[in-house]
Structures are given as C-alpha cells and as structure tokens.
Amino acid sequence: MFSPATTHRTITTLTQELIHATNLDANSAHISIPATPSQDLTRSATTSPVHSPARPPMLYMPSCASNGMAFTLEERQQLNIHGLLPPCFLSQDVQVLRILVNFERQTSDLDRYILLMGLQDRNEKLFYKVLTSNIERFLPIVYTPTVGLACQQYGLAFRRPRGLFITIHDRGHIATMLKSWPEDAIRAIVVTDGERILGLGDLGCYGMGIPVGKLALYTACGGMKPQECLPVILDVGTDNEELLKDPLYIGLRHKRVRGQAYNDLLDEFMQAVTFRYGMNCLIQFEDFANANAFRLLNKYRNKYCTFNDDIQGTAAVAVAGLLAALRITENKLSDHTILFQGAGEAALGIANLIIMAMQKEGTPEQEAIKKIWMVDSKGLIVKERSSLTTEKERFAHKHDEMKNLEDIVRAIKPTVLIGVAAIGGAFTKQILKDMASFNKQPIIFALSNPTSKAECSAEQCYQMTEGRGIFASGSPFDPVTLPSGRTFYPGQGNNAYVFPGVALGVVSCGLRYISEEIFLTTAEVIAQQVSKKHLEEGRLYPPLVTIRDVSLKIAVKVSDFTYSNKTASFYPEPEDKEAFIRSQVYSTDYDSFVVDSYVWPEEAMKIQTGNL
C-alpha cells in the first residue's frame, strides 16, 4: 500500500497527504452530518434511542472491534458513540498516515515500540495494517533488535496485559487460569520462561515481550488471526540480581525455581493447554536456557504439537541462507567445512539440520558430522575434552585443544563461519581477513542478536574480504557501498521467515507432531524464493516486503508434506490447499461493524484490567 520511502518523508509532507486524503479543505477539518438520518436511526428529544442504553460505549470495546474514526455515522449512532468522536470520518488508509506521522516524531526506537504497542491495545486492525504497510521498516521495531531493549525496560513500558502470566506458585490452577483468557479458540501459543532472552540473558518476567512480539509476527508475516494466538510467560523467578533489586520489576522476586517443581509446572502447563484448546494447538517454545531447551523439546516433541524456535526455527533460516549461498559458490553443502562460534541450542540446531541436508545430497551421516566443528566458552570442542553434553559430544573431533578463535580459524580453515554465541565483535578483522585468504568466497554468518551482540557488521565483513564475503546476520544492517562502487544489501537471517509460515501450515492441516523434515522443507522453500538478482545484490533471503507470500508458500508446502505423510488430522483434504489456506488468513481491513459484536461492560472491564 505504501512504499518503503513513505515512512521517511517529513512530517509536513505526511500531514499534507493526510489532509488531501480526507478530501477536505485545509481550512475545514470536518465533514458535515446529514440533516436527515436514515429512517431507522431517526431520533428526537421525545423518542427513545433505537439501541439499549445498557450497550457499552466505545471505551469498553476490545481493540479487535474498534474502527476508530472510520466508524460511519450509522455505526456511531447504533453504538451510541455519536458525539464521542470528532465529526470527521477518516478512512483506514488515512489513519495509517496519522500513525506514520506520530511514528516519525518519536526520538528513539523504544519510543516507537511503545507507540506501536499502544496502537495494538487500542485498534488491532490498524496496528496490523501499519505493520504490513512496510514490514521492512516496522519489523525491527516490534521484534529484533528493539524488542530486546523493550524487554529490558518492560517494567517501564508495561501498560496493560497482552498475555497470560503463569507463575511457579500457580501449580494446580493452570487449567483455571487458562479459562480467564477471553478467547476460547486458541490455535497457537508462544511460551517462554525468560531465562535466555535473545543474547541478553535472564530477564525473568520481562521476557513477556518476546511471546508478544513473536505472535505479532505470526499475524503480520503469516496471516494468523491474532485472536487465535496467546502469549505466555512462565515466571519461576529470576537469577538476575539487578532485577531482584529493581523496585520497578513486575515479576516474582526470588531465585529461579528448578528441579522437580519446575518440571511439574511445565507438565501441567502442556496438559492444561491441550485439554482446553485441543491436541492441535501449536505450542512454540522460545528463549529457554540451553539445559532446558533441548530437554523439553525431546520430552514433548512426540507428545504435543510443539517446536523450539531457537533450535529449529534458527536452524531453518540459517540452512536456507546456506542453500542460497550454494548458488554463488556453485558447489554442494557437503563440500564445505563449517565452524560454529557457539555450541548452544542455535548452533546445535543448525548443525543437525545441516547434517540432514547433507544426507539428502547423498552424504553419509558420519561423513557429514566430520565437516562440522564447534567452539564454546572453553574453546574448540575436541574428543579429549571431558564433561561434554550428549549434544556437543556428537561434534567432538580428534584435534589438539585450542582456545583462541583466531588460532582455531587458521587451523581448521573453514569455508563457512557461523556466529551464534552472542559475543559482539567475535569475528575480528584478522579472522575476516584470514577467511578471505583461504577462501575465494567465504561464507560468514553473524547471527547473534540484538545488533550489539553481532559477531561483526556487514560493513566489516565486506571490507575485510574485499567484497568477496557472502554475509548474513541475525540483526538488520544497512546497505554497504565499497570504494569500488558496488553496493551490497546484507541479508537478515530472521526467524520471521520461518515460524509464521510453519505455524500457518501446521494449524491449517491440524498437524499434531512437528518433525525435523518440516524445517528442512521450510529452508528449501525460503531459498527458492531468492532470485539471481537478489544474490547479485548480496541478499541470501527474499526481501522482507515479500514475507507474507513466502509464509504462504511455506504453509502450502507444510500442508502438502503433512497430507502426503498422512499426519494431518483435518479432513477432507483440501483440493486446492493454497486457496484453502488463503481463506484462513487474517484481513487487516476494517469490517462493517456488527452491533452485537462488542463485549458488555462487565466483560470489558476484565480486558481493561491493568490499564494504567
């Protein structure tokens, strides 16, 4: 609807467009009310209004039922809000322009985040209309990297609940708590315990910003209906001393509860969710610490419809970037030697999916494993190391112990270097130069986020490799122009390419258990959307402006895979899956308001609880 340049215009220009779009004269900011309303709405001082005076005013309308100043005269009269709004009628497109004006007036990305979250509270349709008008501009605000700062400041930014807060002390009552959520037909949940938020560590209850942001992208990037999505924080305490001492902290003020009590909470949560919303309800685990992430994934993956985005979503988007890069290097994945800076859930998830992709090329599993090396906080993972976890032990090879990353890179001579340890600047200039010295086209993925945790910047990579580096990052970077005049548009390996489409496909066909093949299929679909022109520009991912189309293609492919493997639970199988899935997609356009669609005051007050 709006070009990417729209949001960068001056406020004056946008204001002029706003006035023009309303077809108003600059000196007259009102639209006259018809002298004679339609017969069924005619009132007089002696007649009763056509609607019950008990109907709630606009104050009590949920955000999904508010059209704001786009309400027609008839709707305003039916809803008993005529006179509570200015007499001007503004279309949704003009309302978007108003938001853009205010958005550009903000002085920081955190202020922009708060502005958009406030809009989501007031007018859900308009919020998603704004996001989809320029997803490339707004995604870094509602999600990485700004969401990291928003989580750190969550106590200050909190206005009203947008999710369910379940604590360790609520054991035995989770089923009852789920009933307090106003929506009954929940099809997707994003849940975190806040222990490993992005690269920022333990943020406790402040981690709620992650599920809220993820589910906003479910809708903006994938078309999931927001009323069918539920963000959840499992607050078991925090080991972050700064938060425990902070008087503004809004979570439990004690150390993290672990062990059996923690396990019991998770078991009860999973059982309560499936009991209330069904076995087809998708549960996405997000930002759990390594020790719990793999354990819970292995525990629940064959019992519930669940996946871990940090392990499997990150793996899919990274492998998608590698598959696209192969079209530049013109060889197979199994021809590469891959070194990971980091050996946590992201690295292990990517490595396991790379092995699956190599096996699909025809490489035996053990041969594929030999091509993957990992570095953790203690150095290169080798056979001689003791106390390795089962997951790390798989990638331990015969080699001398080494600790310095620069030395390791020179010794291993990888063709692919992937950073997922959230150590900002880990890829030094020397490392980048070395990668370029023994590779014609080194593949360098600095995937940690937020931006402050990126292993290197796009500019550093392109400059140190003399423009030969094939680069992708977890956080967005601006285009880079080298002295030669060539401009690169670095690709952002954002999980938003993965989880919205996977979720849309899973819930559309009623998949109950999500296999690893789903994520390899997703990676292949994403890579296929990268054109030759994109590759020439330095992009390893399709432009974000196309992300809804990419998500739809992923959903269709997931649905095809599910029905062909007879793992779907929704039958009959749609003859035209794309048309069927499109029919499920959320529309950001205003609907004609139905008078009976709002909530009554006592119900609305529940929604308003916590509104400051």
Side-chain angles (χ1 to χ4, degrees):
M1 179 179 63
F2 298 104
S3 68
T6 300
T7 54
H8 297 286
R9 295 174 185 163
T10 63
I11 294 175
T12 301
T13 302
L14 285 171
T15 304
Q16 290 171 348
E17 291 182 6
L18 177 61
I19 294 173
H20 176 73
T22 58
N23 294 318
L24 301 178
D25 181 80
N27 297 318
S28 175
H30 294 77
I31 296 177
S32 60
I33 304 297
T36 307
S38 59
Q39 185 175 0
D40 60 326
L41 296 172
T42 303
R43 306 183 191 183
S44 70
T46 59
T47 59
S48 300
V50 294
H51 60 277
S52 167
R55 295 194 191 281
M58 186 179 62
L59 172 66
Y60 297 113
M61 288 181 185
S63 61
C64 60
S66 177
N67 292 359
M69 291 181 66
F71 279 124
T72 66
L73 172 61
E74 294 175 342
E75 288 168 339
R76 296 180 190 200
Q77 291 177 315
Q78 288 180 344
L79 293 169
N80 197 27
I81 60 173
H82 180 45
L84 299 181
L85 289 173
C88 183
F89 300 94
L90 298 183
S91 70
Q92 191 181 30
D93 285 353
V94 176
Q95 290 178 349
V96 170
L97 285 175
R98 291 184 62 196
I99 298 302
L100 298 183
V101 171
N102 283 290
F103 183 87
E104 294 301 336
R105 291 176 62 190
Q106 306 306 309
T107 57
S108 72
D109 283 345
L110 180 60
D111 289 337
R112 295 182 181 99
Y113 172 89
I114 293 173
L115 171 73
L116 292 176
M117 291 303 103
L119 175 63
Q120 187 179 20
D121 289 338
R122 298 191 311 274
N123 188 330
E124 199 166 60
K125 289 269 189 179
L126 185 58
F127 169 75
Y128 287 111
K129 192 76 167 181
V130 169
L131 258 59
T132 55
S133 73
N134 190 349
I135 193 69
E136 196 164 11
R137 176 73 174 102
F138 295 112
L139 189 144
I141 303 298
V142 298
Y143 201 60
T144 55
T146 307
V147 73
L149 178 60
C151 285
Q152 291 176 305
Q153 303 291 327
Y154 201 76
L156 291 173
F158 182 80
R159 295 294 184 270
R160 58 178 289 182
R162 291 214 60 85
L164 201 58
F165 295 80
I166 299 174
T167 77
I168 190 70
H169 308 301
D170 294 318
R171 283 176 297 160
H173 306 287
I174 295 178
T176 302
M177 295 180 71
L178 290 174
K179 292 180 181 178
S180 67
W181 189 251
E183 300 289 348
D184 294 325
I186 298 299
R187 305 178 74 187
I189 290 174
V190 175
V191 59
T192 186
D193 69 354
E195 188 170 7
R196 195 202 61 81
I197 299 299
L198 302 175
L200 302 172
D202 187 350
L203 296 184
C205 190
Y206 284 0
M208 175 58 98
I210 297 297
V212 169
K214 285 281 186 180
L215 288 172
L217 299 189
Y218 265 49
T219 300
C221 300
M224 287 280 292
K225 296 173 182 174
Q227 66 270 25
E228 297 178 349
C229 300
L230 172 60
V232 175
I233 181 82
L234 299 177
D235 188 354
V236 299
T238 178
D239 292 335
N240 187 323
E241 291 293 341
E242 291 185 11
L243 292 181
L244 292 175
K245 295 175 182 177
D246 186 354
L248 297 180
Y249 182 58
I250 61 176
L252 293 180
R253 293 179 179 275
H254 58 63
K255 293 286 188 178
R256 282 188 170 271
V257 175
R258 304 185 186 276
Q260 193 58 48
Y262 179 92
N263 293 337
D264 290 345
L265 177 74
L266 268 293
D267 285 344
E268 182 183 346
F269 171 73
M270 298 297 285
Q271 293 165 10
V273 164
T274 53
F275 180 78
R276 175 154 178 78
Y277 303 123
M279 290 295 295
N280 300 116
C281 181
L282 172 62
I283 305 170
Q284 175 181 323
F285 279 72
E286 191 71 35
D287 288 355
F288 283 72
N290 291 352
N292 287 322
F294 285 103
R295 181 176 64 85
L296 294 175
L297 177 61
N298 292 331
K299 180 178 182 179
Y300 295 134
R301 67 190 311 167
N302 295 320
K303 296 172 62 177
Y304 301 98
C305 180
T306 186
F307 73 96
N308 184 300
D309 185 53
D310 302 298
I311 299 172
Q312 297 162 291
T314 301
V317 77
V319 171
L322 290 176
L323 294 177
L326 295 180
R327 291 162 57 190
I328 300 175
T329 59
E330 297 182 338
N331 54 10
K332 298 190 301 182
L333 192 56
S334 51
D335 293 329
H336 289 270
T337 299
I338 301 160
L339 176 64
F340 285 89
Q341 162 64 8
E345 54 199 274
L348 292 165
I350 297 169
N352 288 327
L353 200 63
I354 287 174
I355 291 170
M356 183 179 292
M358 287 184 179
Q359 287 179 289
K360 194 169 182 178
E361 290 178 342
T363 304
E365 180 181 0
Q366 291 305 312
E367 289 300 314
I369 292 173
K370 291 178 182 178
K371 296 179 179 294
I372 297 173
W373 297 77
M374 290 193 177
V375 178
D376 64 8
S377 59
K378 297 179 181 178
L380 186 65
I381 295 177
V382 295
K383 288 287 188 184
E384 289 72 18
R385 282 261 301 267
S386 59
S387 303
L388 288 173
T389 64
T390 303
E391 291 83 10
K392 289 183 181 182
E393 192 172 5
R394 188 184 190 198
F395 299 99
H397 306 306
K398 278 280 186 182
H399 198 281
D400 294 336
E401 291 193 38
M402 304 180 73
K403 291 189 176 181
N404 182 273
L405 184 60
E406 289 185 358
D407 294 337
I408 293 170
V409 169
R410 282 192 288 266
I412 302 299
K413 290 183 171 54
T415 58
V416 179
L417 182 61
I418 300 177
V420 282
I423 301 175
F427 296 169
T428 63
K429 292 182 179 179
Q430 187 60 52
I431 287 175
L432 296 173
K433 287 180 179 179
D434 287 342
M435 286 292 293
S437 70
F438 43 73
N439 288 298
K440 180 181 178 181
Q441 293 174 302
I443 300 174
I444 298 166
F445 284 7
L447 298 182
S448 294
N449 54 51
T451 309
S452 61
K453 301 293 183 179
E455 287 76 13
C456 69
S457 69
E459 185 175 14
Q460 289 167 340
C461 175
Y462 292 128
Q463 286 183 348
M464 294 300 105
T465 64
E466 299 175 337
R468 292 184 285 114
I470 302 172
F471 178 81
S473 60
S475 293
F477 283 101
D478 292 331
V480 175
T481 300
L482 296 182
S484 63
R486 185 179 179 187
T487 299
F488 293 89
Y489 297 85
Q492 183 189 359
N494 196 313
N495 288 19
Y497 283 108
V498 176
F499 61 82
V502 169
L504 183 61
V506 165
V507 302
S508 295
C509 63
L511 182 61
R512 290 188 175 178
Y513 310 110
I514 305 174
S515 67
E516 290 299 311
E517 287 82 3
I518 292 291
F519 295 97
L520 183 55
T521 297
T522 297
E524 292 169 345
V525 172
I526 297 169
Q528 289 165 4
Q529 306 313 305
V530 183
S531 68
K532 183 178 179 180
K533 181 176 183 296
H534 295 151
L535 294 174
E536 291 171 351
E537 294 175 340
R539 302 180 192 268
L540 297 182
Y541 298 95
L544 280 171
V545 70
T546 67
I547 196 165
R548 282 180 73 99
D549 291 333
V550 174
S551 295
L552 179 65
K553 287 180 171 63
I554 292 171
V556 172
K557 204 71 174 179
V558 167
S559 183
D560 283 336
F561 178 86
T562 300
Y563 279 107
S564 64
N565 286 275
K566 302 192 183 306
T567 52
S569 59
F570 293 164
Y571 286 91
E573 178 180 351
E575 292 184 11
D576 186 337
K577 296 184 183 65
E578 180 175 341
F580 174 74
I581 293 173
R582 282 186 184 277
S583 71
Q584 310 295 307
V585 170
Y586 175 74
S587 172
T588 61
D589 295 331
Y590 287 151
D591 299 317
S592 295
F593 195 80
V594 179
V595 175
D596 292 335
S597 68
Y598 54 72
V599 293
W600 293 94
E602 61 269 23
E603 294 170 331
M605 289 306 294
K606 294 179 183 178
I607 299 173
Q608 295 291 328
T609 301
N611 192 3
L612 300 181

